[in-house]
């Protein structure tokens, strides 16, 4: 099974994610080409982990290359955060990359991504005919509409089937430990060389992951994404596992008790 994740930019404020004047200045030529910034990298990490966990082989597809001023740089950035995953650049307008994409797909092909990413347009190219409904993004803000309202399974000309899906508003993990380990195989490999087996990769001595970050081998934001997704996965698991839920509640109560004891101590000292 092949799991296609397609992306194209969608506009909204990115100030909370570190978007500043410097980022805006660097993005100017891309904006002139009709693109808008998006949290593509963050979404890609979650989708890749989900794909590996499901047993599918993820393929990250950057669509609308004809509207991008520097498609190779965009592909390189995405490849950096998803090592071991194929990253392809395509354009339904010019046909760029479609032959390569067709060649790497087999079995059941699933299209996943946000609305407006061009999933249905890409699906029509793979099908060789306009079978899937498509729609333009909104001119006011560039956001995609939910053109696809249901999942549809269609046979592909070269064999296998294509599953088109509605646009995703959010991505959540549940019981995806194996997928996370494969999506972040570089961090998992480094973690095996840490001095402590329960290393949190923060300030512990002998941490091989932090050493790799300081040496510039992996970016700090990749570790932060890994840790965030681990917390999300653990929280989701605790909601359905009574033992894990009890442990999480015990930790929460312990923190609350320590805070109350601290406040009482300060009151006595004042």
């Amino acid at each position: 099974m092949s799991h296609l994740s397609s992306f194209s930019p969608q506009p909204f404020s990115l100030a909370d994610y570190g978007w500043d004047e410097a980022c805006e200045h660097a993005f100017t030529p891309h904006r002139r080409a009709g693109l808008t910034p998006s949290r593509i990298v963050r979404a890609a990490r979650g989708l890749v982990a989900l794909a590996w966990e499901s047993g599918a082989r993820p393929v990250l597809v950057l669509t609308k290359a004809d509207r991008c001023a520097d498609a190779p740089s965009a592909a390189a950035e995405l490849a950096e955060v998803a090592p071991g995953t194929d990253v392809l650049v395509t354009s339904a307008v010019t046909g760029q990359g479609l032959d390569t994409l067709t060649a790497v797909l087999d079995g059941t092909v699933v299209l996943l991504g946000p609305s407006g990413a061009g999933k249905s347009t890409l699906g029509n190219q793979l099908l060789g005919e306009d079978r899937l409904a498509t729609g333009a993004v909104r001119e006011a803000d560039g956001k995609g509409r939910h053109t696809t309202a249901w999942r549809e399974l269609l046979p592909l000309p070269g064999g296998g089937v294509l599953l088109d899906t509605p646009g995703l508003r959010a991505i959540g993990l549940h019981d995806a430990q194996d997928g996370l380990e494969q999506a972040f195989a570089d961090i998992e490999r480094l973690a095996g060389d840490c001095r402590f087996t329960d290393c949190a990769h923060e300030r512990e001595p002998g941490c091989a992951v932090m050493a790799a970050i300081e040496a510039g081998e992996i970016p700090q934001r990749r570790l932060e994404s890994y840790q965030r997704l681990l917390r999300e996965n653990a929280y989701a698991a605790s909601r359905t596992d009574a033992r894990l839920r009890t442990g999480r509640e015990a930790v929460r109560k312990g923190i609350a008790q320590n805070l109350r004891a601290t406040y009482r101590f300060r009151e006595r000292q004042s």
Side-chain angles (χ1 to χ4, degrees), residues 6-229:
S6 58
F7 302 95
S8 69
Q10 298 179 16
F12 42 78
S13 174
L14 295 178
D16 292 338
Y17 304 93
W19 191 266
D20 54 20
E21 291 184 3
C23 293
E24 183 63 30
H25 177 73
F27 195 79
T28 298
H30 303 290
R31 192 182 294 281
R32 289 172 180 167
L35 300 184
T36 50
S38 175
R39 293 176 296 172
I40 290 176
V41 169
R42 176 170 295 187
R45 292 187 180 111
L47 285 172
V48 167
L50 288 176
W52 286 125
E53 181 65 28
S54 72
R57 178 172 64 89
V59 178
L60 293 174
V61 181
L62 288 171
T63 59
K64 308 181 184 181
D66 53 287
R67 300 181 61 188
C68 183
D70 191 358
S73 294
E77 180 181 359
L78 202 55
E80 180 181 320
V81 301
T85 302
D86 291 330
V87 178
L88 302 179
V89 177
T90 67
S91 169
V93 174
T94 66
Q96 176 184 350
L98 295 178
D99 289 343
T100 302
L101 176 60
T102 302
V104 302
L105 301 180
D106 62 80
T108 301
V109 179
V110 184
L111 296 172
L112 291 179
S115 294
K119 298 184 301 300
S120 295
T121 300
L122 181 62
N124 284 333
Q125 292 293 321
L126 296 175
L127 292 168
E129 57 180 318
D130 292 338
R131 294 284 300 276
L132 305 174
T134 62
V137 296
R138 295 199 299 258
E139 293 185 3
D141 57 10
K143 291 187 178 181
R145 301 178 176 91
H146 280 282
T147 306
T148 303
W150 58 82
R151 296 168 181 83
E152 191 170 3
L153 195 64
L154 298 167
L156 289 166
V161 292
L162 173 71
L163 177 60
D164 189 27
T165 65
L168 299 177
R169 295 183 183 276
I171 303 166
L173 297 181
H174 177 71
D175 194 19
Q177 184 64 37
D178 291 343
L180 283 172
E181 291 177 358
Q182 196 154 358
F184 292 89
D186 50 346
I187 293 181
E188 288 286 333
R189 183 176 62 255
L190 288 167
D193 295 329
C194 290
R195 181 182 302 177
F196 305 107
T197 56
D198 60 346
C199 182
H201 317 309
E202 294 177 352
R203 292 179 295 275
E204 297 86 349
C207 176
V209 176
M210 293 305 300
I213 291 175
E214 293 173 359
E217 297 176 10
I218 59 173
Q220 174 70 34
R221 65 178 181 176
R222 180 160 175 77
L223 174 61
E224 293 170 354
S225 295
Y226 172 67
Q227 293 171 328
R228 182 178 62 255
L229 290 173

